[in-house]
Amino acid sequence: MVFAAPNEALARAEELLAADPSPLHASVAHQVIGIWQRDFGDTRLALAHLRRARDLASRADSPEREADVLATLGVALVHSGRTREGLAAFERGVARGTGHTRARVLFRRAYVWWVLGRHGEALEDVRRAIPVLRQADDVIWTARALTLRATVHLALGSVERADADFTAAERLWDTTGQEHDKADAVESRGLAAFRSGDVPAALRLLDEAEERYAKLGTPTFMLTIRRCEVLMAAGLATEALAEADAATAALDGIGGQSTRRAELLLVAARAARLAGEPRTSLARAALAVRLFAGQRRTWYETHARLVLLEARVATGRASGRLVADAAAVAERLAAFGAPAAPEASLLAGRIALGLGWTADAERHLAVAARSRHGGPPLARMTGWAAQALRARAAGSARGVLEACRRGLDVLDDHRMTLGASELRARATAQGAELAALAQEASLVSGGPRRLLVWSERWRATVLTAPPTRPPADPALLSGMTAFREIAARAEEARTDGGRPVPALEREQRRLEREIRSRTLHMRGGAPGDGNRFDVGRLLRRLGDDVRLVELAVLDGRVHVLLCGQGRVRRFAAGLLAEAEREAEHVQAGLRRLAHPGAEARLPLVEAAGARLQELLLGPAAAHLGSGPVVVVPPGRLHRVPWALLPALRERVLSVSPSASSWLRASDTAPPPGGRQVLVRGPGLASGGAEVTELAERYGAPGAPGRATPGVAAPDATTPGAPGTGTYRGPEGRTDGTPDRADGTPDRTGRGLGPANGYGVPGGGAGAPDLPVPRPTVLEGDAARVPRVLRELDGAALAHIAAHGTFRADSPLFSSLRMADGPLIVHDLERLDRSPYRIILSCCDTARFASVGADELLGLVTALLPLGTAGVVACSAPVNDAAVVPLMLTLHKGLDAGLSLAEALRDARAALPGDAVHQATGWAFSAFGAA
């Protein structure tokens, strides 16, 4: 009962002891309390109760009872770090018990062997226990033994054997009421999914197990360890470190198991290393090594030593001694049959290469390279990384490129199993070393074209395919609605009282975690179709007039790849670190110029722009020609206001995450219908004045959602509004277009805008001219997220004037403020097709989080894979009033058939020459190719 209903079992045991029971019954009660304290409370109290239970069993003259208690005591002693005493208790228990009781003792000793990392002994004991438990028809203990054997198989990399045992155990659990053990089975299946490479399924199962444990009120320290392992594999190392540290603090607070504390420290050390915190990793790993050594857990101690060595190398402590230490760790891990052995060999080889010990490096790397042919994706990645380093040491650029190609192909297939765009982006970090090695080899031997190909190979890969659509999960949808409501209330409280409301903010964070957790469960589709970047196609598309400038970073220096006129040229520019610092100074200057009275800073900002040009373009600035320019920066330079650079200031300029992304955008056809949507959110200093003027210019005095005198703004319940069977068009007319069954307006037959805003009458080349539609205008209460999303879906042009918020801590919760709360990136990913062109006339909409190898997460990058070919957005805070003339002139250019980049260039040139307006113009960029 202590695992089926632990708190009830504890209460019953305490009641029994209060009734002055016999020694036999008192022994059972103390054992139950000891188990509860051991697993859910204070191990010191557990040991006291279990020793009392052992003494009472002896007084009752019951060898079977005594054997059972000795097994429980042995587990508690090992978990408290007293390994020798624990194993001695098991020896006595095995000797005292017979038959069925001895089988249970053997199972628990097998569990202890697993805790100690002695997998051979664990398999032997559980092999002896299972037939006896089955013969006794002991369903619960048989299922436990099968689960344990499966877990040991996983530790040894035998996923198929583990699956068979987990399946058999689950069938048995279905016949019992052991809720804790059932939760443990779900957790174990999550571990199996992870070991087989299915990260979304692992996260889903571990979250389900956590929900089950929460209903029982039981701590989840082992689950936390496993979840952290999955998070690290998904590229969420910072999150894993935070969870591990929090669990360690909670465990210390209750006086919990020493063994679990050591395991949490180990996983925290690994997470810190992956998160780029080597000193934190060093401290956690050193303490874990000491604890494991004291607990006689050699298997775990060796793994902790591997992390300790990796942290030392990351802090710059490479030496010949570390080569020997890493080689020794690799040998011990290989002897254990541990899947981590190739990582240690790769580490030894890396250190040896750094010291110039080529013969030693070759020996260790050859061992590590064997893992490239089998096992989970990340293990094969380790093997291909070792093979690439071997080829580099041998001077074979061809061998380096082949190994890098094969390794990145493995990672491509792995990434495509992930449905969430965040996981896909973060997973690319696993390929950063291979991408860098390939670029280095290309620079040395392949010329600019090959360097361009490899620069593209691992740049903005998340944008190569649309993300998996979030499921129509009622819990997810209701969670997003609740999040929006809570976020709106919190914002209102901050606006009215100027102070945050802790309760609302806590609930908002809880809902964010729930939404994010559910989206991370999404599985991706099949592996990619193998499409590769074609330099020839890019050059043909650019022609003689357009130049594409791709910035590649090798060894901290910016290299400019200038594409155009049928060729690719390379120019060396400045240091990336200096460019990043200068870009931050520019951003600070633009923030100040957004407010009147800072005019004196304008020359300083312009001078900083000139310095940025020297660092980022170098001599390439003199070879840009006179035509349009497309800039493809690395992720770490996403905040550069490119229009500020003197050589780009008066040009038709667009920005793209990659050359491949620009090609896809230029191939994207505009949707039929030419619908235009104007959205005005609440609380803008200018009142979103450009929306009012644009609506009047386009002739939409009574457009849906338009709050004009005498015209009610329809909402979801207004007859004729979308979702009610007909669509109420401008001036209250019904255009006869039926809605879909799901409530979204049918997008066919709605008419086309003047020149579609892209200079092509009708729906594209050769399309007939159709009646000019008036735009849909959403403002006031009509600018609510569900309605806005319905109108954005499939639109030709959308203009959104709303407060933008960038969330560096959680970029997919970056948002646009609507009447009912934030419209977040997760909302945009639900669109069937995002607007062909979208203008975001608000602050910080062009800010991104740079994650993975060279990926960007934010509002703009969420739109590009979903059908958007062009975006105008802002990378800095701007003056709301100064935005209005910029936006009006921008639309005037679109009406004349210009592209977004052309119209933005002309709009900047038409602004007044004061500092506020100039800074506003520089802060906006055109993304894509529309």
Side-chain angles (χ1 to χ4, degrees):
M1 188 182 185
V2 74
F3 294 113
N7 293 328
E8 185 179 347
L10 177 66
R12 293 268 297 273
E14 290 172 342
E15 288 175 10
L16 181 62
L17 289 176
D20 193 23
S22 67
L24 184 68
H25 291 173
S27 173
V28 173
H30 279 289
Q31 185 180 10
V32 166
I33 297 171
I35 291 171
W36 192 97
Q37 291 289 355
R38 181 196 68 193
D39 291 353
F40 314 133
D42 190 327
T43 52
R44 289 168 297 181
L45 291 175
L47 290 173
H49 281 283
L50 292 174
R51 287 184 175 120
R52 179 67 175 150
R54 177 199 58 195
D55 295 343
L56 288 164
S58 179
R59 280 176 53 192
D61 196 24
S62 172
E64 303 297 310
R65 171 104 284 280
E66 189 177 354
D68 195 77
V69 176
L70 283 167
T72 304
L73 177 60
V75 173
L77 286 165
V78 169
H79 274 312
S80 66
R82 304 176 189 184
T83 302
R84 184 178 295 175
E85 291 180 56
L87 293 177
F90 273 110
E91 286 297 325
R92 294 196 300 275
V94 171
R96 297 286 282 167
T98 60
H100 184 206
T101 299
R102 178 181 288 176
R104 288 187 174 191
V105 174
L106 287 171
F107 157 73
R108 281 176 282 191
R109 189 169 68 175
Y111 166 79
V112 159
W113 290 133
W114 170 72
V115 169
L116 295 173
R118 294 168 64 171
H119 300 112
E121 291 98 324
L123 288 176
E124 174 60 24
D125 271 355
V126 81
R127 182 191 64 79
R128 292 168 60 192
I130 286 176
V132 180
L133 295 171
R134 278 180 168 153
Q135 188 175 11
D137 200 23
D138 190 338
V139 173
I140 291 172
W141 286 76
T142 302
R144 286 174 179 165
L146 288 168
T147 301
L148 174 62
R149 187 168 69 182
T151 306
V152 176
H153 283 318
L154 282 181
L156 296 172
S158 301
V159 178
E160 295 80 7
R161 291 180 178 180
D163 279 338
D165 278 343
F166 279 137
T167 301
E170 200 159 4
R171 283 197 296 266
L172 294 175
W173 287 128
D174 286 341
T175 67
T176 75
Q178 295 294 114
E179 296 306 320
H180 184 281
D181 287 304
K182 289 180 182 179
D184 184 63
V186 174
E187 178 185 339
S188 298
R189 282 197 292 119
L191 178 62
F194 169 55
R195 297 290 187 226
S196 65
D198 193 343
V199 170
L203 288 171
R204 176 179 56 79
L205 289 164
L206 292 178
D207 285 347
E208 180 186 337
E210 187 171 29
E211 291 174 8
R212 289 174 178 246
Y213 288 131
K215 292 177 182 177
L216 298 170
T218 59
T220 55
F221 297 112
M222 191 68 235
L223 184 141
T224 297
I225 292 166
R226 289 169 170 171
R227 178 176 164 79
C228 287
E229 290 179 359
V230 180
L231 290 174
M232 285 186 281
L236 300 170
T238 301
E239 193 170 317
L241 175 59
E243 287 198 19
D245 282 349
T248 302
L251 187 71
D252 290 345
I254 64 171
Q257 298 171 356
S258 174
T259 50
R260 290 287 178 260
R261 184 169 189 270
E263 291 163 28
L264 284 166
L265 286 167
L266 172 57
V267 81
R270 290 188 58 227
R273 181 183 60 77
L274 293 172
E277 299 183 29
R279 297 194 181 281
T280 301
S281 178
L282 202 63
R284 303 284 193 281
L287 183 52
V289 167
R290 288 199 298 272
L291 286 174
F292 286 132
Q295 295 164 2
R296 298 171 178 264
R297 300 172 72 188
T298 310
W299 190 87
Y300 283 98
E301 180 191 348
T302 309
H303 282 79
R305 288 192 182 279
L306 172 59
V307 180
L308 184 64
L309 292 172
E310 290 171 332
R312 285 176 177 163
V313 171
T315 56
R317 302 185 188 180
S319 67
R321 172 65 182 272
L322 288 184
V323 176
D325 289 346
V329 165
E331 288 179 9
R332 294 181 79 176
L333 289 173
F336 291 141
E343 294 178 33
S345 293
L346 176 59
L347 179 64
R350 275 205 191 102
I351 303 170
L353 274 182
L355 296 171
W357 298 1
T358 53
D360 290 310
E362 166 61 21
R363 185 172 71 256
H364 299 305
L365 292 173
V367 173
R370 295 172 192 159
S371 67
R372 70 190 187 276
H373 296 304
L378 298 184
R380 283 179 282 152
M381 287 284 296
T382 296
W384 285 116
Q387 186 68 9
L389 289 173
R390 292 178 72 196
R392 187 179 69 167
S396 172
R398 185 174 184 178
V400 171
L401 296 177
E402 174 64 12
C404 292
R405 182 187 67 79
R406 297 284 297 274
L408 292 178
D409 284 348
V410 170
L411 192 50
D412 270 340
D413 289 345
H414 168 64
R415 284 191 311 106
M416 293 309 294
T417 67
L418 308 173
S421 55
E422 179 180 4
L423 289 189
R424 287 186 182 179
R426 294 187 185 277
T428 61
Q430 307 285 351
E433 181 185 20
L434 287 173
L437 286 170
Q439 285 182 301
E440 177 189 292
S442 300
L443 181 64
V444 171
S445 65
R449 282 199 177 212
R450 181 175 286 177
L451 180 56
L452 176 63
V453 168
W454 279 100
S455 178
E456 281 292 299
R457 179 66 179 84
W458 210 242
R459 181 189 292 264
T461 57
V462 170
L463 306 185
T464 59
T468 302
R469 291 294 192 280
D473 177 357
L476 176 59
L477 295 174
S478 64
M480 292 179 74
T481 301
F483 161 77
R484 199 153 30 245
E485 179 183 344
I486 292 294
R489 288 171 56 193
E491 177 65 25
E492 183 180 356
R494 283 190 292 267
T495 303
D496 292 346
R499 298 180 63 184
V501 180
L504 290 177
E505 293 189 342
R506 282 195 300 272
E507 179 63 8
Q508 180 177 334
R509 288 193 296 270
R510 185 192 69 79
L511 289 166
E512 285 182 7
R513 288 194 298 270
E514 183 177 308
I515 292 167
R516 185 164 177 264
S517 175
R518 288 186 176 275
T519 58
L520 295 183
H521 297 169
M522 294 187 301
R523 285 190 55 80
D529 58 9
N531 287 338
R532 290 289 182 255
F533 173 68
D534 184 344
V535 177
R537 177 169 168 255
L538 172 68
L539 294 174
R540 289 191 297 273
R541 183 62 57 86
L542 292 172
D544 291 333
D545 294 330
V546 183
R547 300 287 188 276
L548 185 141
V549 177
E550 179 148 331
L551 305 182
V553 179
L554 285 83
D555 290 329
R557 182 168 292 278
V558 177
H559 293 260
V560 182
L561 299 173
L562 181 60
C563 309
Q565 293 184 311
R567 59 179 176 160
V568 181
R569 290 178 285 173
R570 182 180 68 84
F571 301 86
L575 296 176
L576 175 65
E578 292 181 15
E580 287 183 289
R581 285 195 294 270
E582 201 64 57
E584 286 302 315
H585 294 155
V586 166
Q587 283 293 325
L590 290 179
R591 282 195 296 271
R592 293 181 183 179
L593 290 176
H595 305 283
E599 292 82 0
R601 301 198 64 83
L602 183 61
L604 299 176
V605 172
E606 291 183 300
R611 289 193 296 273
L612 263 179
Q613 176 172 301
E614 183 62 28
L615 289 167
L616 296 177
L617 300 181
H623 300 272
L624 296 178
S626 59
V629 173
V630 181
V631 177
V632 179
R636 289 166 63 181
L637 295 175
H638 67 276
R639 294 200 67 194
V640 171
W642 297 97
L644 176 62
L645 275 57
L648 304 176
R649 199 169 294 175
E650 297 179 3
R651 289 180 181 274
V652 175
L653 170 67
S654 59
V655 181
S656 181
S658 68
S660 301
S661 178
W662 181 80
L663 280 171
R664 284 192 303 276
S666 62
D667 287 340
T668 301
R675 289 190 308 106
Q676 298 177 353
V677 181
L678 306 177
V679 180
R680 177 162 63 174
L684 295 168
S686 68
E690 82 267 20
V691 173
T692 302
E693 295 199 34
L694 290 171
E696 292 172 356
R697 176 190 294 177
Y698 292 132
R706 184 88 179 93
T708 55
V711 180
D715 56 25
T717 60
T718 304
T724 61
T726 59
Y727 184 80
R728 184 67 62 186
E731 301 173 356
R733 68 178 174 83
T734 302
D735 66 10
T737 305
D739 283 2
R740 296 176 182 155
D742 64 0
T744 58
D746 191 334
R747 303 309 184 195
T748 59
R750 297 276 305 269
L752 301 174
N756 257 353
Y758 3 96
V760 182
D769 289 337
L770 295 176
V772 176
R774 291 168 179 167
T776 299
V777 183
L778 302 175
E779 57 186 4
D781 195 53
R784 302 173 72 83
V785 171
R787 175 78 183 280
V788 170
L789 289 173
R790 286 201 301 271
E791 295 302 333
L792 291 181
D793 209 333
L797 174 66
H799 180 112
I800 302 178
H803 278 301
T805 301
F806 174 70
R807 288 278 301 276
D809 63 318
S810 191
L812 297 190
F813 283 93
S814 298
S815 63
L816 300 169
R817 185 179 167 196
M818 297 290 114
D820 57 340
L823 187 160
I824 59 177
V825 174
H826 289 296
D827 290 313
L828 295 174
E829 290 186 340
R830 303 189 73 85
L831 295 173
D832 286 335
R833 176 172 180 173
S834 56
Y836 176 72
R837 283 173 164 171
I838 185 164
I839 299 168
L840 302 171
S841 64
C842 34
C843 304
D844 288 339
T845 48
R847 288 186 62 187
F848 313 100
S850 180
V851 302
D854 200 8
E855 304 293 325
L856 296 171
L857 295 176
L859 284 165
V860 172
T861 53
L863 294 163
L864 292 176
L866 296 173
T868 293
V871 182
V872 168
C874 179
S875 64
V878 289
N879 184 285
D880 281 356
V883 169
V884 175
L886 180 74
M887 292 296 112
L888 293 175
T889 311
L890 173 66
H891 277 269
K892 184 178 179 180
L894 296 180
D895 291 345
L898 301 181
S899 69
L900 284 172
E902 291 168 332
L904 184 58
R905 186 270 314 267
D906 292 352
R908 285 196 200 98
L911 286 172
D914 62 274
V916 171
H917 284 88
Q918 290 300 304
T920 301
W922 292 330
F924 280 89
S925 297
F927 295 84

